[in-house]
Amino acid sequence: MWRVFLANFEKSFAEFRRYYFNSISSIATFLIFFYLLFFGVKAVGGPTLNLSSTLDGIIVGYFMWIMFIFSFQGVAWGIIEEAQRGTLEQVFSSPIAFEYQMFFRMICDFLFNIALAIPLMYFVAFTTNRKIGFDLPTLLYLLIAGTVSALGIGMILGGIALIFKRISSFIQIVTIGSLFFTMFETNSLWHRLLPMSQASSMMRALAISNVKFYQFNLVSHSILWCTALGYLTIGFISFKYFEKRAMISGSLSQY
């Protein structure tokens, strides 16, 4: 198992380094989009806008959104790329179960996402002259819990990709839709039960009020982990269902 993890880690790093132009372009795109959003809100908001909490919330919400889309897109696009390359059936026929390989890929993607997102978060806070307090243990705790729910969504999309092959338009719809529940906060329970919404809310409390993970109440922690594990369970069950359908129909290796 350890060798499988190392192999996936080396693969992710090799692709990031080999296609460095695309990697750098992606980072630049996210930064440009953030600055357009940040300074747009700052310019349009006017004197009635509570700049301190609103702008800090935008920074946190935006990077939680990045972590969300990196996580669920990594699973879905990984399966689509395997199908395009013609290696998907080989991965399924490996002695290591496909679910374990996907799990290790998720861990590798998470490590890469953390390594990119945290420095970028500090960078944009510095360049926008915002002083955001981040307790590293709390930051990692919320990112892990939030990413778990995102991975569940990714497994659902990955399962759909096994059947329908090309789902890029649908992935874009989910990507844009996720901007709503990661960047905007309401007190309603249904909103807190959306994937990564509770993690984003707690992250804003960390950034704005410097609330540590042990200072959140039990209800907040319960919603956070019940939502995360719930989406991961639904994602796993959905993926197994679509995987079984693809095997029965014999369309696993088709693209």
Side-chain angles (χ1 to χ4, degrees):
M1 291 295 182
W2 175 246
R3 294 181 64 184
V4 176
F5 171 76
L6 289 179
N8 280 283
F9 187 85
E10 291 176 4
K11 175 179 177 293
S12 299
F13 180 74
E15 289 183 341
F16 181 86
R17 182 181 58 184
R18 173 62 181 84
Y19 305 109
Y20 65 91
F21 182 78
N22 182 67
S23 303
I24 296 174
S25 299
S26 298
I27 295 173
T29 300
F30 282 113
L31 286 176
I32 292 171
F33 186 75
F34 166 78
Y35 287 124
L36 290 174
L37 178 65
F38 182 88
F39 290 109
V41 171
K42 191 174 181 179
V44 174
T48 60
L49 181 68
N50 185 355
L51 287 179
S52 180
S53 60
T54 301
L55 297 181
D56 290 348
I58 288 175
I59 294 176
V60 174
Y62 183 78
F63 281 93
M64 289 298 284
W65 178 63
I66 288 179
M67 286 296 298
F68 180 81
I69 64 177
F70 276 174
S71 299
F72 82 78
Q73 285 187 357
V75 179
W77 283 115
I79 293 177
I80 293 174
E81 288 180 355
E82 293 284 359
Q84 288 176 331
R85 295 169 179 170
T87 57
L88 184 60
E89 196 171 26
Q90 296 178 20
V91 177
F92 268 92
S93 61
S94 169
I96 306 299
F98 184 76
E99 289 76 17
Y100 288 109
Q101 297 194 49
M102 291 299 298
F103 177 73
F104 288 131
R105 289 187 186 185
M106 292 173 187
I107 296 177
C108 294
D109 289 342
F110 175 76
L111 294 176
F112 273 96
N113 295 341
I114 287 290
L116 288 174
I118 293 180
L120 287 176
M121 193 181 299
Y122 281 104
F123 175 77
V124 299
F126 174 76
T127 55
T128 54
N129 199 28
R130 308 302 306 170
K131 294 182 179 179
I132 299 179
F134 284 118
D135 176 63
L136 186 58
T138 306
L139 178 62
L140 293 176
Y141 170 77
L142 295 176
L143 286 176
I144 291 172
T147 303
V148 170
S149 62
L151 295 178
I153 302 299
M155 294 192 74
I156 295 175
L157 294 176
I160 295 174
L162 290 177
I163 301 297
F164 298 102
K165 309 305 179 185
R166 302 188 65 173
I167 60 169
S168 56
S169 297
F170 184 66
I171 291 177
Q172 292 174 5
I173 293 174
V174 177
T175 299
I176 296 173
S178 63
L179 188 65
F180 163 72
F181 52 80
T182 52
M183 292 198 63
F184 302 100
E185 183 177 12
T186 65
N187 294 322
S188 59
L189 179 60
W190 71 267
H191 184 269
R192 298 173 70 184
L193 293 177
L194 293 172
M196 222 168 189
S197 177
Q198 178 68 4
S200 299
S201 176
M202 296 171 72
M203 185 75 80
R204 277 186 283 271
L206 165 65
I208 298 172
S209 304
N210 201 25
V211 180
K212 307 296 192 299
F213 72 92
Y214 53 83
Q215 295 176 319
F216 290 104
N217 56 44
L218 182 60
V219 174
S220 297
H221 287 287
S222 299
I223 294 176
L224 177 69
W225 284 105
C226 287
T227 303
L229 297 177
Y231 280 106
L232 184 63
T233 302
I234 294 173
F236 181 80
I237 294 173
S238 300
F239 184 83
K240 293 296 292 184
Y241 168 75
F242 287 117
E243 177 188 2
K244 186 176 180 180
R245 279 195 57 187
M247 287 183 173
I248 292 175
S249 63
S251 61
L252 189 62
S253 61
Q254 297 176 4
Y255 180 71

